[in-house]
Amino acid sequence: MNKLLGYITLALILVSCGNSGGQFRLEGHFKNLNQGEFYLYNLEEGTIDTITAKDGRFSYVSIIRDTVTYSLLFPNFSEVPIFATPGAKVKINGDVSHLKETEISGTKDNSLMTSFRLRTSDMMPPEVVSEAERLMLDKPGSPVAVYLLRRYFLLAPTPDYQKSFQLCDSLLKAQPTNIPLVRIHQQLKSLRHQQGSGRLPQFKAVSTKGDTITNRRMQSTVNVIYLWASWSYDSQNTLRQIRQLQKDNRDKVAVVSICVDAAPDEGRPMLERDSITWPNICDGKMWQSPLLAKFGMSTVCDNIVTDKSGNIVGRNLSSQDLRAKIEDMLK
């Protein structure tokens, strides 16, 4: 089976706990950098902030109520998670010539993630997965464990949903009030018995233009449901690729996109700029959207491909595999 999750961003690496509100401060220093910009995603709220670096140094301050995982996007588009807690001060030190060696410290979770990342940097993929599983079972109450679940199990080329469910179950026992983790657990509970087949469930939703969208929209040679966000470059690039394939094959490719932004208007400029006119759904409920639960979609870049009869022929494909699947079906 293909990917459950397309890469975000490492996106959806979110954790919540019951702390009171407080100031979170992030400070960074990168060698061999005069000035530049970084993007910091708050994936829980679907927002993005721009951080400006001068003389290689930058800082960021926010008020948060709970533990939140940010995703920091480097100039080369690689990302690292940052685990923020109220009242914490986190430091980033690195060299723009060796971003993989970037160290993030200031809290136990960030130090734990940095240690794991550096320790496994030269390992083969199977070894990294084994190390991730060991860390998850050793630290099931850490937000790092949730990140590792997503990164190394749900993002696997052929995800083992039963294995992922068992690991998620262990984490949930240690983090019973973690809402994002509860959601993952619910979705994996059904996905563990699924393969990449079946039929597209009956659905009804309203697009950002006010049109009612149902299964009747998905009766072309190729039909794609794609999950995206205005703060995810990867998802936007894939939308453009799908748009080009649709343009080259008129009336043969039907697309419905689902945006997980907090407000319907946030993604509109991008759609208009790239002349994307297919139905786009954004109910403002982000990851609590009932439509995502119905489709079993849990992160940005998730997708479902069906034939004209509504049979699912691909699910959670990588960008490359999604394009190949569409092209193959059009032959």
Side-chain angles (χ1 to χ4, degrees), residues 249-267:
N249 300 273
R250 291 185 179 278
D251 302 323
K252 292 185 178 182
V253 180
V255 185
V256 171
S257 56
I258 303 174
C259 182
V260 291
D261 286 348
D265 289 338
E266 292 182 15

Side-chain angles (χ1 to χ4, degrees), residues 135-150:
L135 193 153
M136 291 167 62
L137 296 178
D138 186 49
K139 305 287 185 181
S142 170
V144 175
V146 181
Y147 165 72
L148 295 177
L149 172 66
R150 291 187 179 278

Side-chain angles (χ1 to χ4, degrees), residues 91-117:
K91 294 185 177 181
I92 300 177
N93 287 289
D95 188 322
V96 292
S97 301
H98 303 88
L99 289 176
K100 290 184 178 180
E101 300 175 6
T102 299
E103 295 190 11
I104 304 176
S105 61
T107 68
K108 291 182 179 179
D109 291 321
N110 285 291
S111 296
L112 181 65
M113 186 65 224
T114 295
S115 176
F116 172 85
R117 183 160 43 82

Side-chain angles (χ1 to χ4, degrees), residues 60-79:
Y60 172 83
V61 177
S62 65
I63 303 298
I64 56 177
R65 295 180 57 188
D66 302 309
T67 298
V68 174
T69 300
Y70 291 99
S71 182
L72 183 67
L73 177 66
F74 290 129
N76 69 345
F77 295 102
S78 61
E79 296 177 299

Side-chain angles (χ1 to χ4, degrees), residues 6-18:
Y7 183 68
I8 122 213
T9 64
L10 296 173
L12 296 179
I13 312 163
L14 307 177
V15 183
S16 298
C17 64

Side-chain angles (χ1 to χ4, degrees), residues 108-262:
K108 291 182 179 179
D109 291 321
N110 285 291
S111 296
L112 181 65
M113 186 65 224
T114 295
S115 176
F116 172 85
R117 183 160 43 82
L118 296 178
R119 184 173 69 255
T120 60
S121 61
D122 294 326
M123 290 184 179
M124 298 296 290
E127 296 177 298
V128 177
V129 173
S130 296
E131 284 293 314
E133 182 176 352
R134 277 194 285 269
L135 193 153
M136 291 167 62
L137 296 178
D138 186 49
K139 305 287 185 181
S142 170
V144 175
V146 181
Y147 165 72
L148 295 177
L149 172 66
R150 291 187 179 278
R151 175 64 181 85
Y152 294 103
F153 292 89
L154 302 185
L155 274 172
T158 54
D160 184 336
Y161 295 131
Q162 180 62 35
K163 176 71 170 181
S164 298
F165 176 77
Q166 293 172 348
L167 290 171
C168 185
D169 197 52
S170 298
L171 303 189
L172 193 59
K173 291 177 181 178
Q175 305 181 50
T177 60
N178 184 329
I179 301 303
L181 189 59
V182 170
R183 184 174 62 250
I184 296 173
H185 188 268
Q186 292 173 340
Q187 292 169 341
L188 284 173
K189 190 174 183 179
S190 60
L191 286 173
R192 61 178 172 159
H193 299 304
Q194 291 185 19
Q195 300 300 320
S197 59
R199 290 186 60 81
L200 186 70
Q202 294 293 317
F203 73 94
K204 184 177 181 180
V206 178
S207 74
T208 53
K209 293 183 178 180
D211 299 322
T212 298
I213 311 302
T214 67
N215 297 65
R216 292 183 179 180
R217 175 74 64 166
M218 316 300 286
Q219 295 180 343
S220 296
T221 303
V222 184
N223 305 278
V224 181
I225 296 177
Y226 192 81
L227 190 61
W228 73 289
S230 64
W231 37 262
S232 169
Y233 292 119
D234 285 344
S235 69
Q236 292 179 37
N237 287 335
T238 301
L239 285 181
R240 296 186 187 101
Q241 293 179 28
I242 299 173
R243 173 68 184 96
Q244 187 60 50
L245 287 170
Q246 185 191 57
K247 184 178 179 180
D248 295 340
N249 300 273
R250 291 185 179 278
D251 302 323
K252 292 185 178 182
V253 180
V255 185
V256 171
S257 56
I258 303 174
C259 182
V260 291
D261 286 348

